[in-house]
Amino acid sequence: MDGFEMKTVFENIGLKEVGVALLDLAMPRRCVVCGGRLMLRERFICLECLADLPLTYYWQLSHNPMADKFNARVQADLDKAFQANDPVPAEPYAYATALFFYNSESGYKKICQHLKYHAGIASGRYFASKLGRFMARSELYGDVDVVIPVPLHWTRRRSRGYNQAEIIARELAAALGASLRTDVLVRARRTRTQTRMSVSSKADNVSGAFVVRNHCPEAHHVLLVDDTFTTGSTLNACRGALRRDLPASVRISVATLAFVVV
């Protein structure tokens, strides 16, 4: 490559990209999904894996498999309250969305694993911002005014150093122009890891685990945020805690990076 060609190359890329290219020589960046080496302008995921990212498009649908699963849990709680002769106020339908699907065989599960277990905060922000942009264009989430991440127990947060749900929630709140409230919910007791639990065991594990620490009287449409949605037990436990504090007219919807197909 002669001097003219070299000058043309560097005119087409910025100083930041030059720095990235030099760092890649010493410590190549890898795709979080396939592990392949990233090209200069690829971020966290290669173009091939990005093209195949199994988007849910649930942000466009008020009724979808994720929302149906979550609302079925809500209805089960309402039925129990009715059978116990407790007051059962009308519950607004909860919207639910995720950026992408994955199952146990899919490499896309590494996106959430990278955020949760490998301090992949930057990649978590990257994928959460994608979801945020989709949700910001949806009529379903246009009135969201409060975003609340699922809290970690203080001991787990101290050992991990961050809350992965809060990383995602911060990006969604920014995209939706909503308030991020990390002070509303607290995890009152440490729960066991739910990876290999049955559906009923997951519900029992998080039952009563969350309490409201501070009120959010300004809320009209609350968005609860977590990293993944499998059975919806954790998010529903959070919803139950919030519902005891919020008027029945307040809609409580949910969003996650991934919807796990089981």
Side-chain angles (χ1 to χ4, degrees):
M1 181 180 292
D2 61 27
F4 177 78
E5 291 174 326
M6 181 70 74
K7 180 181 179 182
T8 301
V9 168
F10 280 95
E11 283 177 346
N12 290 331
I13 61 176
L15 289 176
K16 183 177 179 180
E17 290 174 311
V18 172
V20 170
L22 293 174
L23 287 173
D24 278 348
L25 293 175
M27 190 164 42
R29 295 169 302 123
R30 300 287 176 180
C31 172
V32 296
V33 176
C34 70
R37 186 166 178 170
L38 293 177
M39 303 296 288
L40 179 60
R41 293 185 176 176
E42 294 175 337
R43 296 186 62 202
F44 307 110
I45 184 170
C46 68
L47 287 177
E48 184 174 350
C49 289
L50 181 60
D52 291 335
L53 183 66
L55 298 175
T56 68
Y57 294 97
Y58 287 169
W59 50 85
Q60 298 177 353
L61 306 169
S62 60
H63 290 262
N64 59 62
M66 181 175 168
D68 289 345
K69 183 178 283 191
F70 185 73
N71 281 280
R73 285 204 161 276
V74 175
Q75 187 60 51
D77 286 351
L78 296 178
D79 291 343
K80 287 180 183 178
F82 179 78
Q83 292 167 6
N85 293 319
D86 293 334
V88 185
E91 179 91 9
Y93 188 84
Y95 301 141
T97 190
L99 180 62
F100 62 94
F101 303 98
Y102 77 76
N103 59 31
S104 59
E105 306 300 321
S106 171
Y108 290 97
K109 66 184 178 183
K110 296 177 184 177
I111 293 174
C112 293
Q113 291 173 347
H114 188 248
L115 168 60
K116 190 171 183 176
Y117 301 116
H118 304 290
I121 294 174
S123 66
R125 288 172 177 159
Y126 171 80
F127 289 105
S129 67
K130 284 186 175 295
L131 176 59
R133 288 194 295 272
F134 287 132
M135 294 177 68
R137 296 196 291 265
S138 169
E139 294 181 357
L140 303 178
Y141 302 96
D143 62 341
V144 168
D145 48 7
V146 175
V147 177
I148 300 175
V150 171
L152 286 179
H153 191 264
W154 69 268
T155 57
R156 187 159 286 157
R157 174 156 189 155
R158 185 177 65 178
S159 63
R160 186 171 296 167
Y162 62 96
N163 176 4
Q164 69 277 3
E166 185 176 328
I167 300 300
I168 301 164
R170 190 173 300 279
E171 297 299 322
L172 299 188
L176 295 171
S179 298
L180 176 67
R181 293 289 304 270
T182 61
D183 63 327
V184 174
L185 281 178
V186 63
R187 194 180 289 245
R189 61 179 175 82
R190 181 163 177 164
T191 54
R192 293 174 292 152
T193 300
Q194 301 193 141
T195 306
R196 293 180 174 83
M197 288 186 183
S198 66
V199 173
S200 59
S201 295
K202 288 181 178 180
D204 292 339
N205 186 45
V206 295
S207 178
F210 303 97
V211 296
V212 172
R213 181 173 61 186
N214 290 300
H215 305 295
C216 49
E218 74 276 21
H220 296 284
H221 187 175
V222 171
L223 184 70
L224 275 170
V225 177
D226 206 356
D227 56 336
T228 58
F229 184 110
T230 305
T231 66
S233 299
T234 300
L235 284 162
N236 187 48
C238 290
R239 179 209 61 84
L242 286 174
R243 180 53 70 205
R244 288 188 286 274
D245 186 67
L246 293 173
S249 59
V250 175
R251 190 188 305 275
I252 303 174
S253 297
V254 298
T256 61
L257 273 190
F259 177 57
V260 183
V261 180
V262 293

